[in-house]
Amino acid sequence: AFDPSPLIPYLESLGVKYHYIKQPIFDLAKSGSLQGTSICAFCARMKRGALYTCAREHGYTTLVLAQHLDDFAESLVMSMFHNGHLRTMQANYSERKGDLRIIRPFAYVRENECKEFSYSAKLPVINDNCPACFQAPQERRRVKKLLAKEEAQSPRIFSNLRRALIPLMDPEVLADLAKARTDRERRGGRYGGAGKPYSAEGKNKSAQPGNSRKHAGTRNAPPQEARDGKPEAPTADDPTPSAAP
């Protein structure tokens, strides 16, 4: 996966204490540990696990991750498109065990702003060097191009996306969404028009004989379920959708 070793001389020049961790993530994925998920989702989970372990071993209580606003927006779009969920990363939350706090301080910062600052401050910049990124088209990259195209037509699109993302970063909102999804699944998992539940045959009242809207059953067809047929509960530490690259 991504190799940050070129940063070592820079950190040493600053006298900053660092911990360099190596894991054969790509080899593990090829050996069968992938288990159906995308390589990017698998890699993200493995890297987070390594960071959590390192932080605990050395007594750290806060882990800082560097995802920016573009990452948050792309995760939201991918989650909606491929999993049918309103889900993205969180900017401030505690890991499940409660002993580690994770923050993403660049949540409102654009990618181009990070890039401009890194060059102006003469920070070491590492180009993409993950082998998986060069072997198959990546869905995140496609979504990035899609949003860039939309931004050319609507310059305020990321300001609007940021406003839409703020509630989704709230753990209480995520819990409410998870509960609503669970309740829906218990009622059969499908909805008709205007929130009317479908019967086991997949029809609502608007599709019954004698109704003036003869094609209501077609117009109100239920949304397609997530591609794996089992929507996942939203989690703060697994923001990467399970769509294939």
Side-chain angles (χ1 to χ4, degrees):
F2 175 75
D3 178 15
S5 59
L7 286 175
I8 292 177
Y10 176 73
L11 294 174
E12 291 177 343
S13 71
L14 297 177
V16 174
K17 183 179 180 180
Y18 66 89
H19 303 280
Y20 180 56
I21 308 168
K22 294 185 68 174
Q23 270 193 328
I25 296 176
F26 197 58
D27 291 337
L28 288 171
K30 292 191 296 183
S31 68
S33 299
L34 196 60
Q35 296 182 347
T37 189
S38 73
I39 179 63
C40 293
F42 176 78
C43 182
R45 286 194 294 273
M46 293 292 291
K47 286 190 291 186
R48 278 196 306 275
L51 290 171
Y52 293 166
T53 299
C54 179
R56 290 182 174 116
E57 287 178 349
H58 296 279
Y60 299 120
T61 58
T62 303
L63 178 63
V64 183
L65 301 179
Q67 285 92 352
H68 42 65
L69 177 59
D70 294 51
D71 292 323
F72 278 75
E74 291 158 13
S75 291
L76 173 64
V77 171
M78 291 169 65
S79 182
M80 290 191 300
F81 282 9
H82 298 295
N83 295 333
H85 299 168
L86 284 172
R87 183 175 68 183
T88 189
M89 295 171 276
Q90 285 185 252
N92 184 354
Y93 67 98
S94 294
E95 204 270 333
R96 290 184 178 91
K97 294 183 180 179
D99 61 339
L100 193 60
R101 178 168 164 253
I102 294 91
I103 61 174
R104 293 181 169 100
F106 297 151
Y108 295 161
V109 182
R110 293 295 310 279
E111 180 178 20
N112 64 309
E113 294 172 326
C114 295
K115 181 178 180 180
E116 290 170 4
F117 175 79
S118 65
Y119 283 118
S120 65
K122 295 181 171 53
L123 299 177
V125 177
I126 303 175
N127 293 324
D128 286 340
N129 56 21
C130 173
C133 293
F134 304 105
Q135 292 188 4
Q138 296 298 301
E139 181 62 16
R140 184 173 290 273
R141 189 167 298 176
R142 189 185 73 82
V143 171
K144 182 184 292 291
K145 291 180 179 179
L146 173 66
L147 290 175
K149 182 178 179 180
E150 291 300 316
E151 186 177 22
Q153 300 295 323
S154 304
R156 291 188 54 81
I157 185 174
F158 275 91
S159 295
N160 294 334
L161 284 169
R162 182 180 65 180
R163 186 160 59 248
L165 284 164
I166 290 174
L168 300 179
M169 297 181 195
D170 187 331
E172 293 184 2
V173 173
L174 284 176
D176 289 343
L177 288 172
K179 182 179 183 301
R181 183 159 54 248
T182 300
D183 291 344
R184 185 192 68 180
E185 291 170 359
R186 288 174 179 171
R187 290 196 296 267
R190 294 176 180 269
Y191 283 101
K196 300 174 183 177
Y198 275 82
S199 67
E201 291 77 20
K203 299 179 181 179
N204 59 19
K205 291 182 179 180
S206 61
Q208 296 301 318
N211 191 288
S212 59
R213 292 179 63 186
K214 295 182 180 179
H215 301 288
T218 301
R219 290 184 182 179
N220 295 325
Q224 183 179 358
E225 294 295 336
R227 297 202 303 181
D228 59 3
K230 298 179 180 179
E232 302 172 357
T235 58
D237 58 347
D238 192 10
T240 309
S242 59

